[in-house]
Amino acid sequence: MCLGVPMQILECDGIAARATDGRDEELIDLSLTGWVAPGTWVLTFLGAAREVISEAEALKISDALDGLRSLMSGGGLGSAFADLEAREPQLPPHLQAAHAAGRKTA
């Protein structure tokens, strides 16, 4: 399984950047995003930035990953998924439209 890790760009040189997740620094590939300014947050998979994300989104994802790390080492989730607990699940728009039209979505 592959998890996306939010990283903040420290330094950018063409399609390569040095970035940090707050714990480690890595050299990441920016081929899919292009050049991004230092301070920008990106979501990375397997050493490559896949998309530019907001700082708020990066913090939510980081909190969730911290919760999973804690759970895997015998701790609890804490408030890692508080943003999800406070809302009802929703279908993506294309499935909402299918459901409204009476088509089965599952």
Side-chain angles (χ1 to χ4, degrees), residues 9 30 32-37 40-43 49-54 57:
I9 302 298
L30 298 176
L32 296 175
T33 61
W35 184 89
V36 291
T40 302
W41 286 91
V42 293
L43 190 60
R50 298 297 178 119
E51 66 179 294
V52 174
I53 59 175
S54 69
E57 189 71 12

Side-chain angles (χ1 to χ4, degrees), residues 10-67:
L10 299 172
E11 185 176 45
C12 187
D13 183 19
I15 61 168
R18 195 169 49 87
T20 183
D21 64 359
R23 291 177 180 79
D24 301 309
E25 286 187 18
E26 293 183 24
L27 184 64
I28 60 171
D29 180 354
L30 298 176
S31 296
L32 296 175
T33 61
W35 184 89
V36 291
T40 302
W41 286 91
V42 293
L43 190 60
T44 66
F45 293 89
L46 302 172
R50 298 297 178 119
E51 66 179 294
V52 174
I53 59 175
S54 69
E55 181 178 11
E57 189 71 12
L59 295 176
K60 283 182 192 177
I61 296 167
S62 292
D63 286 347
L65 292 174
D66 288 343

